Amino acid sequence: GIAFLGGYQHKPNVEAVTFFVEQVAPLLLVKAPEIIFYVYGSHLPDFLHNFGSENINIIGFVDNLDDLYQQHRVFVAPLLSGAGIKGKLSDAMQCGTPSLTSTIGSEGMLTTTKNEQLPWNGEIIDTREMMDNPQTFADAAVRLYQAESDFKDYQHNGFEILQQQYDKSFWQ
């Protein structure tokens, strides 16, 4: 499935889940009704439990984050606000779980791999900009979920980002 992780005392995580469930998931499920969206994290507000359905599984707190990332095909961080390095994205990359995020989500991540720009419907687009649109976010999630070549490219690029941006030996 597709997963999101956040601490819900932090408003950007509540906004991200709400955005994904209300605006992205309905579009995603038209193309891939088999996909299940899993919501993890501490201090879930009661109203988020109301989003639970056949395709939306509200889990809450989880003890082992490595297992969380490795049990899911795609990690999403559709953040609408917030700042700084997003630990949830670097954790997903470290575990080899391809991720999709918004422009806000990519801030502070210093992503500079070739997959910032991808062919999309016959044109080259900036993946950070496209993820701010619910339809293109949904399309990208389905494509990443279903296409093994895209999955492998994103997985490789995640490792490349970590090595280039966060590995101390890169700067020596």
Side-chain angles (χ1 to χ4, degrees):
I2 293 176
F4 177 82
L5 170 69
Y8 297 96
Q9 291 178 319
H10 188 54
K11 182 181 174 185
N13 292 325
V14 175
E15 291 173 344
V17 169
T18 303
F19 169 74
F20 194 87
V21 168
E22 291 180 346
Q23 296 187 43
V24 178
L27 302 169
L28 181 147
L29 294 173
V30 167
K31 291 186 174 189
E34 74 279 7
I35 293 177
I36 298 173
F37 177 52
Y38 294 85
V39 178
Y40 296 95
S42 60
H43 306 290
L44 279 163
D46 289 339
F47 85 90
L48 286 184
H49 289 282
N50 296 333
F51 289 141
S53 69
E54 183 178 333
N55 293 92
I56 300 171
N57 199 341
I58 309 296
I59 305 290
F61 182 80
V62 62
D63 286 321
N64 188 325
L65 297 183
D66 288 346
D67 288 347
L68 178 158
Y69 291 115
Q70 293 173 358
Q71 290 173 1
H72 297 287
R73 175 85 172 166
V74 177
F75 183 78
V76 295
L79 298 165
L80 305 176
S81 63
I85 293 173
K86 312 312 183 284
K88 62 184 87 212
L89 289 170
S90 57
D91 289 347
M93 286 186 271
Q94 185 176 7
C95 290
T97 306
S99 303
L100 297 171
T101 192
S102 59
T103 302
I104 295 291
S106 70
E107 288 178 354
M109 296 303 295
L110 303 173
T111 56
T112 59
T113 68
K114 63 182 177 186
N115 267 359
E116 269 189 21
Q117 294 190 338
L118 291 174
W120 193 264
N121 295 329
E123 61 182 280
I124 301 296
I125 52 90
D126 184 318
T127 57
R128 293 168 301 172
E129 291 176 12
M130 82 176 203
M131 296 308 162
D132 294 336
N133 176 291
Q135 183 64 63
T136 51
F137 201 120
D139 291 346
V142 169
R143 184 173 160 184
L144 184 56
Y145 190 87
Q146 294 176 340
E148 191 63 27
S149 62
D150 288 343
F151 178 89
K152 295 282 187 194
D153 284 346
Y154 272 69
Q155 187 178 54
H156 172 78
N157 287 340
F159 292 139
E160 189 177 299
I161 289 166
L162 290 176
Q163 181 182 6
Q164 288 179 1
Q165 306 298 344
Y166 303 105
D167 186 345
K168 290 180 184 177
S169 66
F170 175 75
W171 302 108
Q172 296 176 356

